[in-house]
Amino acid sequence: MKIRRILAYQVDLPLHEGSYKWSGGKSVDVFDSTVIEVETDNGVVGYGEVCPLGPFYLPAYANGVRAGIAELGPHLLGEDPRELQKMNRRMDAALKGHPYVKSGIDMACWDILGKTTGQPVCVLLGGRYGDDFVLYRAISQESPEAMASKVAGYRAEGYRRFQLKVGGDPAVDIARIKAVADKLQPGDRLIADANTGWLMHDALRVVRAVRDVDVYIEQPCLSYEECLTVRKHTDHPFVLDEVIDSIDVLLRGHADRAMDVVNLKISKLGGLTKTKQARDLCVSLGIAMTLEDSWGGDIVTAAIAHLAHSTPPEFLFTATDFNSYVTVSIGQGAPRRVNGRMAASTGPGLGIVPRMDVLGKPVVDIFASRAP
Ligand code: MG
């Protein structure tokens, strides 16, 4: 089986709540997502998706996905998409870095492997654990009162894990954490995610002020070293996210006892193949995980579902159902949240049939007119 064509489609994903806001005044109103289609010479087609959280969150931007695929795609024609490790080595040899560019292609290759073998991707990623898995709800950054007022509605949708967007003025953030904590019920979990927004002295003031609150602290500062400094001064459970972009930093974090939980985002690591490697290492090292992506629609959500459903439940801290945040559906068969939980599809591959009327015409089309 050989790759004969790679296409990319651009799709806008507006938000039900109008906008999504996090540290430093950053916000996104409409997500710019790219759907990748990989066609093979025997007619099997796979799909992937990459959606950066705007151009100012990770070193990734939406037009970069498309430009990168136009650059990388011609080097992949003629490759066997089922040979995932070999495919990834080929991608890394042809384009240095840019893991987010490779993520959607890798995802589409897993879809093809699943369709070819008749297996859901979660089975190929290690096996399906239980009936479903746990989700969290991100609470967009607003006033403490506004954020606290969201909790009851999200709980009514079944969510029991709430990730507050903090990383602003420390005094306001302390009020945000306390106001939301007041709304929690037994069994709820609270995560304060600063998204790199605090300097060390700000972070130290916040963690001291909320010492008696049962709250996880996520990625307080920009660098690994700054986060480690904060970590050494708090006994709150500690999550690293933005800095966890490779196996190297996972091993370093483990050696330094720098975190209790990591957030693995599929496109940040470069696709399902590399995220599986990181996920399996975390299981071996005893590190719990949030499994998600930077953002996305139905295809990213399906990929998250297969990854999360194939992770031992005690290691899965939370996952994300991005497709419930956005107003546009790009695929039939996508997993849907039920009572705060979600399940991977049982069909072959990712289990998604893209809505081609929503995707429109391809913006990148790399076609092998000659047989490689
Ligand atoms: Mg985070």
Side-chain angles (χ1 to χ4, degrees), residues 132-138 154-155 157-163 187-191 289-293 300-302 304-306 308-309 313 316-325 335-344:
D132 54 18
F133 57 87
V134 66
L135 298 166
Y136 80 85
R137 177 72 201 199
Y154 293 147
R155 191 186 291 104
E157 294 174 5
Y159 294 108
R160 301 297 301 273
R161 299 186 180 194
F162 306 100
Q163 190 200 74
D188 290 350
R189 303 243 196 144
L190 180 61
I191 304 108
M289 291 159 275
T290 289
L291 297 176
E292 58 172 1
D293 209 329
V300 159
T301 303
I304 292 169
H306 286 284
H309 215 148
L316 182 66
F317 181 54
T318 55
T320 317
D321 59 325
F322 286 117
N323 63 351
S324 80
Y325 291 61
R336 288 282 160 194
R337 182 190 69 244
V338 178
N339 198 24
R341 302 180 68 86
M342 202 162 69

Side-chain angles (χ1 to χ4, degrees), residues 244-275:
I244 302 293
D245 58 1
S246 68
I247 295 294
D248 280 354
V249 73
L250 260 182
L251 291 172
R252 185 180 174 198
H254 179 252
D256 291 344
R257 308 292 182 263
M259 70 280 177
D260 309 293
V261 182
V262 291
N263 185 317
L264 302 181
K265 292 182 163 71
I266 297 168
S267 62
K268 182 175 62 178
L269 289 158
L272 282 171
T273 302
K274 289 183 175 172
T275 310

Side-chain angles (χ1 to χ4, degrees), residues 57 163 165 193 195 218 241-242 263 265 292:
Y57 172 61
Q163 190 200 74
K165 290 299 170 188
D193 186 358
N195 288 111
E218 181 164 337
D241 180 352
E242 282 85 341
N263 185 317
K265 292 182 163 71
E292 58 172 1

